[in-house]
Coordinates of all heavy atoms in Angstrom, one line a residue:
M1 N 0.8 -1.2 -0.1 CA 0.0 0.0 -0.1 C 0.9 1.2 0.0 O 1.9 1.3 0.7 CB -0.9 0.0 1.3 CG -1.8 -1.2 1.3 SD -3.1 -1.1 0.0 CE -4.4 0.0 0.8
I2 N 0.4 2.2 -0.7 CA 1.2 3.5 -0.8 C 0.2 4.6 -0.6 O -1.0 4.4 -0.5 CB 1.9 3.8 -2.0 CG1 0.9 3.7 -3.3 CG2 3.1 2.8 -2.3 CD1 1.4 4.2 -4.6
Y3 N 0.7 5.8 -0.2 CA -0.1 7.0 -0.1 C -0.2 7.8 -1.3 O 0.9 8.1 -1.8 CB 0.3 7.8 1.0 CG 0.1 7.2 2.4 CD1 1.1 6.3 3.1 CD2 -1.1 7.1 3.2 CE1 0.8 5.8 4.3 CE2 -1.4 6.6 4.3 CZ -0.5 5.8 4.9 OH -0.7 5.1 6.2
C4 N -1.4 8.2 -1.6 CA -1.4 9.2 -2.8 C -0.7 10.5 -2.6 O -0.8 11.1 -1.6 CB -2.9 9.5 -3.2 SG -3.1 10.8 -4.4
R5 N 0.2 10.8 -3.5 CA 0.9 12.1 -3.4 C 0.0 13.4 -3.4 O 0.4 14.5 -3.0 CB 2.0 12.3 -4.5 CG 3.4 11.6 -4.1 CD 4.4 12.2 -4.9 NE 4.4 11.6 -6.2 CZ 5.1 10.6 -6.7 NH1 6.0 10.0 -5.7 NH2 5.1 10.1 -7.9
D6 N -1.2 13.2 -4.0 CA -2.0 14.4 -4.2 C -3.1 14.5 -3.0 O -3.0 15.6 -2.4 CB -2.7 14.2 -5.5 CG -3.3 15.6 -5.9 OD1 -2.5 16.5 -6.0 OD2 -4.5 15.7 -6.3
C7 N -3.8 13.5 -2.7 CA -4.8 13.7 -1.8 C -4.5 12.8 -0.4 O -5.3 13.0 0.6 CB -6.2 13.1 -2.3 SG -6.3 11.4 -2.6
G8 N -3.5 12.1 -0.4 CA -3.1 11.3 0.7 C -3.8 10.1 1.0 O -3.5 9.4 2.0
A9 N -4.7 9.8 0.1 CA -5.4 8.4 0.4 C -4.6 7.2 0.3 O -3.8 7.2 -0.6 CB -6.7 8.4 -0.6
R10 N -4.9 6.3 1.0 CA -4.1 4.9 0.9 C -4.6 4.1 -0.3 O -5.9 4.0 -0.4 CB -4.1 4.1 2.1 CG -3.1 4.5 3.1 CD -3.1 3.6 4.3 NE -2.1 2.5 4.1 CZ -2.1 1.4 4.9 NH1 -3.0 1.2 5.8 NH2 -1.2 0.4 4.6
H11 N -3.7 3.7 -1.2 CA -4.2 2.7 -2.2 C -3.1 1.8 -2.5 O -2.0 1.9 -2.2 CB -4.8 3.6 -3.4 CG -3.8 4.3 -4.0 ND1 -2.9 3.8 -5.1 CD2 -3.4 5.6 -4.1 CE1 -2.2 4.9 -5.5 NE2 -2.4 5.9 -4.8
S12 N -3.5 0.8 -3.3 CA -2.7 -0.3 -3.7 C -1.5 0.3 -4.6 O -1.8 1.1 -5.5 CB -3.4 -1.4 -4.6 OG -2.5 -2.1 -5.1
D13 N -0.2 -0.2 -4.4 CA 0.9 0.3 -5.1 C 0.8 -0.2 -6.5 O 1.6 0.0 -7.4 CB 2.3 0.0 -4.4 CG 2.4 -1.3 -4.1 OD1 1.5 -2.2 -4.4 OD2 3.4 -1.7 -3.5
K14 N -0.2 -1.3 -6.8 CA -0.3 -1.8 -8.1 C -1.2 -0.9 -9.0 O -1.2 -1.0 -10.2 CB -0.9 -3.2 -8.0 CG 0.3 -4.2 -7.5 CD -0.3 -5.6 -7.4 CE 0.8 -6.5 -6.8 NZ 0.8 -6.3 -5.3
A15 N -2.1 -0.2 -8.3 CA -3.0 0.7 -9.1 C -2.2 1.8 -9.9 O -1.2 2.4 -9.4 CB -3.9 1.4 -8.1
K16 N -2.6 2.0 -11.1 CA -2.0 3.0 -11.9 C -2.3 4.3 -11.5 O -1.4 5.3 -11.7 CB -2.5 2.7 -13.5 CG -1.4 3.0 -14.4 CD -2.1 2.6 -15.8 CE -1.1 3.3 -17.0 NZ -1.7 3.5 -18.2
A17 N -3.5 4.6 -11.0 CA -3.9 6.0 -10.6 C -4.6 5.8 -9.1 O -5.2 4.8 -8.8 CB -4.8 6.5 -11.5
C18 N -4.7 6.9 -8.3 CA -5.4 6.9 -7.2 C -7.0 6.7 -7.4 O -7.5 7.5 -8.2 CB -5.1 8.3 -6.5 SG -6.1 8.5 -5.1
P19 N -7.5 5.9 -6.8 CA -9.0 5.6 -7.0 C -9.9 6.7 -6.4 O -11.0 6.9 -6.9 CB -9.2 4.2 -6.4 CG -8.1 4.0 -5.4 CD -7.0 4.8 -5.9
K20 N -9.2 7.4 -5.6 CA -10.1 8.5 -5.0 C -10.0 9.8 -5.8 O -11.0 10.4 -6.1 CB -9.4 8.8 -3.6 CG -10.5 9.6 -2.7 CD -9.9 9.9 -1.3 CE -10.7 10.8 -0.5 NZ -10.1 11.3 0.6
C21 N -8.8 10.3 -6.1 CA -8.7 11.6 -6.9 C -8.3 11.4 -8.4 O -8.2 12.4 -9.2 CB -7.8 12.5 -6.1 SG -6.1 12.1 -6.2
G22 N -7.9 10.2 -8.7 CA -7.4 9.9 -10.1 C -6.0 10.4 -10.3 O -5.4 10.4 -11.4
Y23 N -5.2 10.7 -9.3 CA -3.8 11.1 -9.4 C -3.0 10.0 -10.0 O -3.0 8.9 -9.5 CB -3.2 11.7 -8.1 CG -1.9 12.1 -8.1 CD1 -1.3 13.3 -8.6 CD2 -0.8 11.2 -7.7 CE1 -0.1 13.7 -8.7 CE2 0.6 11.5 -7.8 CZ 0.9 12.7 -8.2 OH 2.2 13.0 -8.3
V24 N -2.2 10.2 -11.0 CA -1.4 9.2 -11.6 C 0.0 9.2 -11.0 O 0.7 10.3 -10.9 CB -1.3 9.3 -13.2 CG1 -0.5 8.2 -13.7 CG2 -2.7 9.3 -13.7
E25 N 0.4 8.1 -10.4 CA 1.8 8.1 -9.8 C 2.9 8.0 -11.0 O 2.7 7.2 -11.8 CB 1.9 6.8 -9.0 CG 1.0 6.8 -7.7 CD 1.5 7.7 -6.6 OE1 2.6 8.1 -6.6 OE2 0.5 8.2 -6.0
Y26 N 4.0 8.7 -10.8 CA 4.9 8.6 -11.7 C 6.3 9.0 -11.0 O 6.3 9.4 -9.9 CB 4.7 9.6 -13.0 CG 4.9 11.0 -12.6 CD1 6.1 11.8 -12.8 CD2 3.9 11.8 -12.1 CE1 6.2 13.1 -12.4 CE2 3.9 13.0 -11.7 CZ 5.1 13.7 -11.9 OH 5.2 15.1 -11.6
D27 N 7.4 8.6 -11.8 CA 8.8 8.9 -11.1 C 9.0 10.3 -11.1 O 9.4 10.9 -12.2 CB 9.7 8.0 -12.1 CG 11.1 7.8 -11.3 OD1 11.5 8.6 -10.5 OD2 11.8 6.8 -11.6
L28 N 9.1 10.9 -10.0 CA 9.5 12.4 -9.9 C 11.0 12.7 -10.2 O 11.1 13.8 -10.4 CB 9.2 12.8 -8.4 CG 7.7 12.8 -7.9 CD1 7.8 13.1 -6.4 CD2 7.0 13.8 -8.7
T29 N 11.8 11.7 -10.4 CA 13.2 12.0 -10.7 C 13.3 12.1 -12.2 O 14.3 12.7 -12.7 CB 14.1 10.9 -10.3 OG1 13.7 9.7 -10.9 CG2 14.1 10.7 -8.8
K30 N 12.3 11.8 -13.0 CA 12.3 11.9 -14.5 C 11.9 13.3 -14.9 O 10.9 14.0 -14.3 CB 11.6 10.9 -15.1 CG 12.1 9.5 -14.7 CD 13.4 9.2 -15.3 CE 14.0 7.8 -14.7 NZ 13.2 6.6 -15.1
S31 N 12.5 13.7 -16.0 CA 12.2 15.0 -16.6 C 11.7 15.0 -17.9 O 12.4 14.3 -18.9 CB 13.4 16.2 -16.4 OG 13.4 17.0 -17.6
T32 N 10.7 15.7 -18.3 CA 10.1 15.6 -19.7 C 11.2 16.3 -20.6 O 11.1 16.1 -21.9 CB 8.8 16.3 -19.8 OG1 8.7 17.5 -19.1 CG2 7.6 15.5 -19.0
V33 N 11.9 17.3 -20.2 CA 12.9 18.1 -20.9 C 14.0 17.1 -21.4 O 14.3 17.0 -22.5 CB 13.4 19.3 -20.3 CG1 14.5 19.9 -21.0 CG2 12.3 20.2 -19.9
I34 N 14.5 16.3 -20.4 CA 15.6 15.3 -20.7 C 15.0 14.2 -21.7 O 15.6 13.9 -22.6 CB 16.1 14.7 -19.4 CG1 16.9 15.9 -18.7 CG2 17.0 13.5 -19.7 CD1 17.2 15.3 -17.2
Y35 N 13.7 13.9 -21.4 CA 13.0 13.0 -22.2 C 13.1 13.4 -23.8 O 13.3 12.7 -24.7 CB 11.7 12.7 -21.8 CG 10.8 11.8 -22.5 CD1 10.9 10.4 -22.3 CD2 10.0 12.1 -23.5 CE1 10.2 9.4 -23.1 CE2 9.2 11.2 -24.1 CZ 9.2 9.8 -24.0 OH 8.5 8.9 -24.7
L36 N 12.7 14.6 -23.9 CA 12.5 15.2 -25.2 C 13.9 15.4 -25.9 O 13.9 15.2 -27.1 CB 11.8 16.5 -25.1 CG 11.4 17.2 -26.4 CD1 10.4 16.4 -27.2 CD2 10.7 18.6 -26.2
L37 N 14.9 15.9 -25.1 CA 16.2 15.9 -25.6 C 16.8 14.6 -26.2 O 17.3 14.4 -27.3 CB 17.2 16.5 -24.6 CG 17.1 18.0 -24.3 CD1 17.9 18.5 -23.1 CD2 17.3 18.9 -25.6
L38 N 16.6 13.5 -25.4 CA 17.0 12.1 -25.8 C 16.3 11.7 -27.0 O 16.8 11.1 -28.0 CB 16.7 11.2 -24.6 CG 17.7 11.3 -23.5 CD1 17.1 10.3 -22.3 CD2 19.0 10.7 -23.8
L39 N 15.0 12.0 -27.0 CA 14.1 11.7 -28.1 C 14.6 12.3 -29.3 O 14.7 11.8 -30.4 CB 12.7 12.0 -27.8 CG 11.5 12.0 -28.9 CD1 11.5 10.6 -29.4 CD2 10.2 12.5 -28.3
W40 N 14.8 13.7 -29.3 CA 15.3 14.5 -30.5 C 16.6 14.0 -31.1 O 16.8 14.0 -32.2 CB 15.3 15.9 -30.0 CG 15.6 16.8 -31.2 CD1 16.8 17.4 -31.4 CD2 14.8 17.2 -32.2 NE1 16.8 18.3 -32.7 CE2 15.5 18.1 -33.1 CE3 13.4 17.1 -32.6 CZ2 15.0 18.7 -34.3 CZ3 12.9 17.5 -33.7 CH2 13.7 18.3 -34.5
F41 N 17.6 13.9 -30.1 CA 19.0 13.4 -30.7 C 19.2 12.0 -31.0 O 19.9 11.6 -32.0 CB 20.0 14.0 -29.7 CG 20.1 15.5 -29.7 CD1 19.6 16.3 -28.6 CD2 20.6 16.3 -30.8 CE1 19.7 17.7 -28.6 CE2 20.7 17.7 -30.8 CZ 20.2 18.3 -29.7
I42 N 18.9 11.1 -29.9 CA 19.1 9.8 -30.1 C 17.8 8.9 -30.0 O 17.9 7.7 -29.6 CB 20.3 9.3 -29.2 CG1 20.0 9.8 -27.9 CG2 21.6 9.5 -29.8 CD1 20.9 9.1 -26.8
G43 N 16.7 9.5 -30.3 CA 15.5 8.8 -30.3 C 15.3 7.6 -31.1 O 14.6 6.6 -30.8
L44 N 16.0 7.5 -32.3 CA 15.8 6.5 -33.1 C 16.2 5.2 -32.6 O 15.9 4.1 -33.1 CB 16.5 6.7 -34.5 CG 15.7 7.6 -35.6 CD1 16.4 7.9 -36.8 CD2 14.3 7.0 -35.9
I45 N 17.2 5.2 -31.7 CA 17.7 4.0 -31.0 C 16.9 3.7 -29.7 O 17.2 2.9 -28.9 CB 19.3 3.9 -30.7 CG1 19.5 5.1 -29.9 CG2 19.9 3.9 -32.1 CD1 20.9 4.9 -29.2
G46 N 15.8 4.5 -29.5 CA 14.9 4.2 -28.4 C 15.4 4.7 -27.1 O 14.9 4.4 -26.0
A47 N 16.4 5.6 -27.0 CA 16.9 6.2 -25.9 C 16.1 6.8 -24.8 O 16.0 6.6 -23.7 CB 18.0 7.3 -26.1
H48 N 15.0 7.5 -25.4 CA 14.0 8.1 -24.5 C 13.1 7.1 -23.8 O 12.6 7.3 -22.8 CB 13.1 9.1 -25.3 CG 12.4 8.5 -26.5 ND1 13.2 7.9 -27.6 CD2 11.0 8.3 -26.8 CE1 12.3 7.4 -28.4 NE2 11.0 7.7 -28.0
R49 N 13.0 6.0 -24.7 CA 12.0 4.9 -24.0 C 12.7 4.1 -22.8 O 12.3 3.8 -22.0 CB 11.6 3.8 -25.1 CG 10.5 4.6 -25.9 CD 9.8 3.7 -26.9 NE 8.6 4.2 -27.4 CZ 7.5 4.0 -26.9 NH1 7.3 3.2 -26.0 NH2 6.4 4.7 -27.5
F50 N 14.1 4.0 -23.1 CA 15.0 3.4 -22.0 C 14.8 4.4 -20.7 O 14.7 3.9 -19.6 CB 16.5 3.3 -22.4 CG 16.7 2.1 -23.2 CD1 17.1 2.3 -24.6 CD2 16.6 0.8 -22.8 CE1 17.3 1.1 -25.4 CE2 16.8 -0.3 -23.5 CZ 17.3 -0.2 -24.9
Y51 N 15.0 5.6 -20.9 CA 14.9 6.8 -19.9 C 13.6 6.6 -19.3 O 13.5 6.7 -17.9 CB 15.2 8.0 -20.5 CG 15.0 9.2 -19.5 CD1 16.0 9.3 -18.5 CD2 14.0 10.2 -19.6 CE1 16.0 10.4 -17.6 CE2 14.0 11.1 -18.6 CZ 15.1 11.3 -17.7 OH 15.0 12.3 -16.8
A52 N 12.5 6.4 -19.9 CA 11.2 6.4 -19.4 C 10.9 4.9 -18.6 O 9.8 4.8 -18.1 CB 10.1 6.7 -20.2
G53 N 11.8 4.1 -18.8 CA 11.6 2.8 -18.2 C 10.9 1.7 -19.0 O 10.4 0.8 -18.6
K54 N 10.6 2.2 -20.3 CA 9.8 1.4 -21.2 C 10.8 0.6 -22.0 O 11.0 0.7 -23.2 CB 9.0 2.2 -22.2 CG 7.8 2.9 -21.5 CD 7.1 4.0 -22.2 CE 6.1 4.6 -21.6 NZ 5.9 6.0 -22.2
T55 N 11.5 -0.3 -21.2 CA 12.6 -1.0 -21.7 C 12.2 -1.9 -22.9 O 13.0 -2.1 -23.9 CB 13.3 -2.0 -20.6 OG1 13.5 -1.0 -19.4 CG2 14.7 -2.4 -21.1
G56 N 11.1 -2.7 -22.9 CA 10.7 -3.7 -23.9 C 10.6 -3.0 -25.3 O 11.2 -3.4 -26.2
S57 N 9.8 -1.9 -25.3 CA 9.6 -1.2 -26.6 C 10.9 -0.5 -27.0 O 11.1 -0.2 -28.2 CB 8.4 -0.3 -26.5 OG 8.6 0.8 -25.4
A58 N 11.8 -0.1 -26.0 CA 13.0 0.6 -26.4 C 13.9 -0.4 -27.2 O 14.5 0.0 -28.1 CB 13.6 1.0 -25.1
I59 N 13.9 -1.8 -26.7 CA 14.8 -2.7 -27.3 C 14.2 -3.0 -28.8 O 15.0 -3.1 -29.7 CB 14.8 -4.0 -26.6 CG1 15.6 -3.7 -25.2 CG2 15.4 -5.1 -27.3 CD1 15.5 -4.7 -24.1
V60 N 12.8 -3.1 -28.9 CA 12.3 -3.3 -30.2 C 12.6 -2.3 -31.1 O 13.0 -2.3 -32.3 CB 10.7 -3.4 -29.9 CG1 10.0 -3.4 -31.4 CG2 10.4 -4.6 -29.2
M61 N 12.5 -0.9 -30.7 CA 12.9 0.2 -31.5 C 14.5 0.2 -31.9 O 14.7 0.5 -33.0 CB 12.7 1.5 -30.6 CG 12.3 2.7 -31.5 SD 11.7 4.1 -30.3 CE 11.4 5.3 -31.6
L62 N 15.4 -0.3 -30.9 CA 16.7 -0.3 -31.2 C 17.0 -1.4 -32.3 O 17.7 -1.1 -33.2 CB 17.4 -0.8 -29.8 CG 18.9 -0.9 -29.9 CD1 19.7 0.4 -30.4 CD2 19.4 -1.3 -28.6
I63 N 16.3 -2.5 -32.2 CA 16.5 -3.6 -33.2 C 16.1 -3.1 -34.5 O 16.6 -3.4 -35.5 CB 15.9 -5.0 -32.6 CG1 16.6 -5.4 -31.4 CG2 16.0 -6.0 -33.7 CD1 15.9 -6.5 -30.6
L64 N 14.8 -2.5 -34.6 CA 14.3 -2.2 -35.9 C 15.1 -1.1 -36.5 O 15.3 -1.2 -37.7 CB 12.8 -1.4 -35.5 CG 11.6 -2.4 -35.4 CD1 10.4 -1.6 -35.0 CD2 11.5 -3.3 -36.5
T65 N 15.7 -0.2 -35.7 CA 16.6 0.8 -36.4 C 17.8 0.3 -37.0 O 18.4 0.8 -37.9 CB 16.9 1.9 -35.3 OG1 15.7 2.5 -34.8 CG2 17.8 3.0 -35.9
C66 N 18.2 -0.9 -36.4 CA 19.4 -1.6 -37.1 C 19.1 -2.2 -38.4 O 20.2 -2.6 -39.1 CB 20.0 -2.7 -36.1 SG 20.5 -2.0 -34.6
T67 N 17.9 -2.4 -38.7 CA 17.6 -3.0 -40.2 C 17.0 -1.7 -40.9 O 16.3 -0.8 -40.4 CB 16.5 -4.0 -40.0 OG1 15.2 -3.5 -39.5 CG2 16.8 -5.0 -39.0
I68 N 17.3 -1.9 -42.3 CA 16.8 -0.8 -43.2 C 15.3 -0.6 -43.2 O 14.8 0.4 -43.2 CB 17.3 -1.1 -44.7 CG1 18.8 -1.3 -44.6 CG2 16.9 0.0 -45.6 CD1 19.6 -0.1 -44.1
V69 N 14.6 -1.8 -43.3 CA 13.1 -1.7 -43.3 C 12.5 -1.1 -42.1 O 11.6 -0.5 -42.0 CB 12.4 -3.1 -43.7 CG1 11.1 -3.0 -43.9 CG2 13.1 -3.6 -45.0
G70 N 13.1 -1.8 -41.0 CA 12.6 -1.4 -39.7 C 12.8 0.1 -39.3 O 12.1 0.7 -38.6
M71 N 13.9 0.7 -39.9 CA 14.0 2.1 -39.7 C 13.0 3.0 -40.2 O 12.7 4.0 -39.7 CB 15.4 2.5 -40.4 CG 16.0 3.8 -39.7 SD 17.6 4.0 -40.3 CE 18.3 5.1 -39.1
L72 N 12.3 2.6 -41.3 CA 11.1 3.3 -41.8 C 10.0 3.3 -40.8 O 9.4 4.3 -40.6 CB 10.6 2.6 -43.1 CG 11.5 2.6 -44.4 CD1 11.1 1.7 -45.4 CD2 11.7 4.0 -44.7
I73 N 9.9 2.2 -40.1 CA 8.9 2.1 -39.1 C 9.3 3.0 -37.9 O 8.4 3.7 -37.3 CB 8.7 0.7 -38.5 CG1 8.3 -0.3 -39.7 CG2 7.6 0.5 -37.3 CD1 8.5 -1.8 -39.5
T74 N 10.6 2.9 -37.6 CA 10.9 3.7 -36.3 C 10.9 5.3 -36.6 O 10.7 6.1 -35.7 CB 12.3 3.3 -35.8 OG1 13.2 3.1 -36.9 CG2 12.5 2.2 -34.9
C75 N 11.0 5.6 -37.9 CA 10.9 6.9 -38.3 C 9.5 7.5 -38.0 O 9.3 8.6 -37.5 CB 11.3 7.2 -39.8 SG 13.0 7.2 -40.0
V76 N 8.5 6.7 -38.3 CA 7.1 7.1 -38.0 C 6.9 7.1 -36.5 O 6.3 8.0 -36.0 CB 6.2 6.1 -38.7 CG1 4.8 6.5 -38.5 CG2 6.4 6.1 -40.2
W77 N 7.4 6.0 -35.9 CA 7.3 5.8 -34.4 C 7.9 7.0 -33.7 O 7.2 7.5 -32.7 CB 7.9 4.5 -34.0 CG 7.5 4.0 -32.6 CD1 6.9 4.6 -31.7 CD2 8.1 2.8 -32.1 NE1 6.8 3.8 -30.6 CE2 7.5 2.6 -30.8 CE3 8.8 1.7 -32.6 CZ2 7.7 1.5 -30.0 CZ3 9.0 0.7 -31.8 CH2 8.5 0.5 -30.4
W78 N 9.1 7.5 -34.1 CA 9.8 8.5 -33.6 C 9.0 9.8 -33.7 O 8.8 10.5 -32.7 CB 11.2 8.7 -34.2 CG 12.0 9.8 -33.9 CD1 12.8 9.8 -32.8 CD2 12.0 11.1 -34.3 NE1 13.4 11.1 -32.6 CE2 12.8 11.8 -33.7 CE3 11.4 11.8 -35.4 CZ2 13.2 13.2 -33.8 CZ3 11.8 13.1 -35.7 CH2 12.7 13.8 -34.9
L79 N 8.4 10.0 -34.8 CA 7.6 11.2 -35.1 C 6.4 11.2 -34.1 O 6.0 12.2 -33.5 CB 7.0 11.3 -36.5 CG 6.6 12.6 -36.9 CD1 7.6 13.7 -37.0 CD2 6.0 12.5 -38.4
I80 N 5.7 10.1 -33.9 CA 4.5 9.9 -33.0 C 5.0 10.3 -31.6 O 4.4 11.0 -30.9 CB 4.0 8.6 -33.1 CG1 3.3 8.4 -34.4 CG2 2.8 8.4 -32.0 CD1 2.8 7.0 -34.8
D81 N 6.1 9.7 -31.2 CA 6.6 9.9 -29.9 C 7.0 11.4 -29.6 O 6.7 11.9 -28.5 CB 7.9 8.9 -29.6 CG 7.5 7.6 -29.2 OD1 6.4 7.4 -28.9 OD2 8.5 6.7 -28.9
L82 N 7.5 12.0 -30.7 CA 7.9 13.3 -30.6 C 6.6 14.3 -30.4 O 6.7 15.1 -29.4 CB 8.7 13.6 -31.8 CG 9.1 15.3 -31.9 CD1 10.3 15.5 -31.0 CD2 9.6 15.6 -33.4
I83 N 5.7 14.0 -31.2 CA 4.4 14.8 -31.0 C 3.8 14.6 -29.7 O 3.5 15.6 -29.0 CB 3.3 14.6 -32.2 CG1 3.9 14.8 -33.5 CG2 2.1 15.0 -31.9 CD1 3.2 14.2 -34.7
Y84 N 3.8 13.3 -29.1 CA 3.2 13.0 -27.8 C 4.1 13.8 -26.7 O 3.6 14.3 -25.8 CB 3.3 11.5 -27.7 CG 2.6 11.1 -26.4 CD1 1.2 10.9 -26.4 CD2 3.3 10.8 -25.2 CE1 0.6 10.5 -25.2 CE2 2.8 10.4 -24.1 CZ 1.4 10.2 -24.1 OH 0.8 9.9 -22.8
A85 N 5.4 13.7 -26.9 CA 6.3 14.4 -25.9 C 6.2 15.8 -25.9 O 6.1 16.4 -24.8 CB 7.9 14.0 -26.2
I86 N 5.9 16.5 -26.9 CA 5.8 18.0 -27.0 C 4.4 18.3 -26.4 O 4.3 19.2 -25.6 CB 5.9 18.5 -28.5 CG1 7.3 18.3 -29.0 CG2 5.4 19.8 -28.6 CD1 7.5 18.6 -30.4
C87 N 3.4 17.6 -26.8 CA 2.1 17.8 -26.2 C 2.0 17.5 -24.6 O 1.2 18.1 -23.9 CB 1.0 16.9 -26.8 SG 0.7 17.2 -28.5
N88 N 2.9 16.6 -24.1 CA 3.0 16.3 -22.6 C 4.0 16.8 -21.9 O 4.4 16.3 -20.7 CB 2.8 14.7 -22.5 CG 1.4 14.2 -22.9 OD1 0.5 14.4 -22.2 ND2 1.4 13.5 -24.1
L89 N 4.7 18.0 -22.4 CA 5.9 18.5 -21.8 C 5.4 18.9 -20.4 O 6.2 18.7 -19.4 CB 6.3 19.9 -22.4 CG 7.6 19.7 -23.3 CD1 7.9 20.9 -24.0 CD2 8.7 19.1 -22.5
G90 N 4.3 19.4 -20.1 CA 3.9 19.8 -18.8 C 3.1 18.8 -18.0 O 2.4 19.0 -17.0
H91 N 3.0 17.6 -18.6 CA 2.3 16.4 -18.0 C 3.2 15.2 -17.8 O 2.9 14.2 -18.6 CB 1.1 16.1 -18.8 CG 0.1 17.2 -18.8 ND1 -0.7 17.7 -17.8 CD2 -0.1 18.2 -19.8 CE1 -1.5 18.6 -18.2 NE2 -1.2 19.0 -19.3
P92 N 4.2 15.2 -17.0 CA 5.1 14.1 -16.9 C 4.5 12.8 -16.5 O 4.9 11.7 -16.8 CB 6.2 14.5 -15.8 CG 5.4 15.6 -15.1 CD 4.5 16.2 -16.1
E93 N 3.3 12.9 -15.8 CA 2.5 11.7 -15.4 C 2.2 10.9 -16.6 O 2.0 9.6 -16.5 CB 1.4 12.0 -14.5 CG 0.2 12.7 -15.1 CD 0.4 14.2 -15.3 OE1 1.5 14.7 -15.1 OE2 -0.6 14.7 -15.6
N94 N 1.9 11.5 -17.8 CA 1.5 10.8 -19.0 C 2.7 10.0 -19.6 O 2.5 9.1 -20.2 CB 0.9 11.8 -19.9 CG -0.5 12.2 -19.6 OD1 -1.1 11.7 -18.8 ND2 -0.8 13.4 -20.3
I95 N 3.9 10.4 -19.4 CA 5.1 9.9 -20.0 C 5.8 8.8 -19.1 O 6.0 7.8 -19.4 CB 6.1 11.0 -20.4 CG1 5.4 11.8 -21.5 CG2 7.5 10.4 -20.9 CD1 6.3 13.0 -21.9
F96 N 5.8 9.2 -17.8 CA 6.5 8.5 -16.7 C 5.6 7.6 -15.9 O 6.1 7.2 -14.9 CB 7.4 9.2 -16.0 CG 8.4 10.0 -16.8 CD1 8.4 11.4 -16.8 CD2 9.3 9.4 -17.6 CE1 9.3 12.2 -17.5 CE2 10.2 10.1 -18.5 CZ 10.1 11.5 -18.4
A97 N 4.3 7.5 -16.3 CA 3.5 6.8 -15.4 C 3.8 5.3 -15.1 O 4.4 4.7 -16.1 CB 1.9 6.7 -16.1
K98 N 3.7 4.9 -13.9 CA 4.1 3.4 -13.7 C 3.2 2.5 -14.2 O 1.9 2.7 -14.2 CB 4.3 3.3 -12.1 CG 5.5 4.0 -11.5 CD 5.5 4.0 -10.0 CE 6.7 4.7 -9.6 NZ 6.6 5.1 -8.2
K99 N 3.7 1.4 -14.8 CA 2.9 0.4 -15.4 C 2.2 -0.4 -14.3 O 2.7 -0.7 -13.3 CB 3.7 -0.3 -16.3 CG 3.8 0.2 -17.7 CD 4.9 -0.4 -18.6 CE 6.1 0.2 -18.5 NZ 7.4 -0.3 -18.7
Ligands
ZN101 ZN1 -5.5 10.7 -4.5

């Protein structure tokens, strides 16, 4: 059990969001600015996804980029991640939400 950082209610640490107020738990040590910088410069190898703790999809992205055909997919994927990151610059809970 953990305490909600927003309203203080006790809830399961397995819950994605607080059942009382809807607050989404996320890693406070992570920064959306660093996420965006990693995405912008080395995003094609999944660097930003490794940073956000999404290791599974980060490895998929890394392997895809190593292949010519896969890189076409990661280019589109990268663009989607970029738009998402820019839209959520002020909402780290959407990017770093615990699974
Ligand atoms: Zn709450």
Side-chain angles (χ1 to χ4, degrees):
M1 296 295 273
I2 54 164
Y3 290 96
C4 171
R5 269 199 286 264
D6 198 45
C7 71
R10 274 188 91 190
H11 62 86
S12 164
D13 53 3
K14 287 180 187 75
K16 214 177 162 192
C18 171
K20 198 178 163 200
C21 70
Y23 176 81
V24 180
E25 296 288 334
Y26 69 96
D27 194 338
L28 286 173
T29 61
K30 300 290 168 70
S31 152
T32 50
V33 176
I34 295 171
Y35 179 86
L36 190 60
L37 286 174
L38 284 171
L39 170 60
W40 183 257
F41 291 108
I42 44 173
L44 278 178
I45 58 161
H48 58 296
R49 287 188 167 265
F50 280 113
Y51 180 68
K54 292 166 184 158
T55 318
S57 57
I59 292 168
V60 172
M61 212 168 180
L62 179 62
I63 294 167
L64 279 177
T65 301
C66 292
T67 66
I68 303 298
V69 182
M71 202 167 203
L72 295 171
I73 301 165
T74 42
C75 282
V76 177
W77 194 354
W78 178 83
L79 194 65
I80 294 166
D81 274 358
L82 180 68
I83 294 164
Y84 188 79
I86 291 168
C87 292
N88 288 287
L89 257 183
H91 300 280
E93 72 277 14
N94 290 343
I95 294 171
F96 305 119
K98 287 173 183 164
K99 278 171 264 159

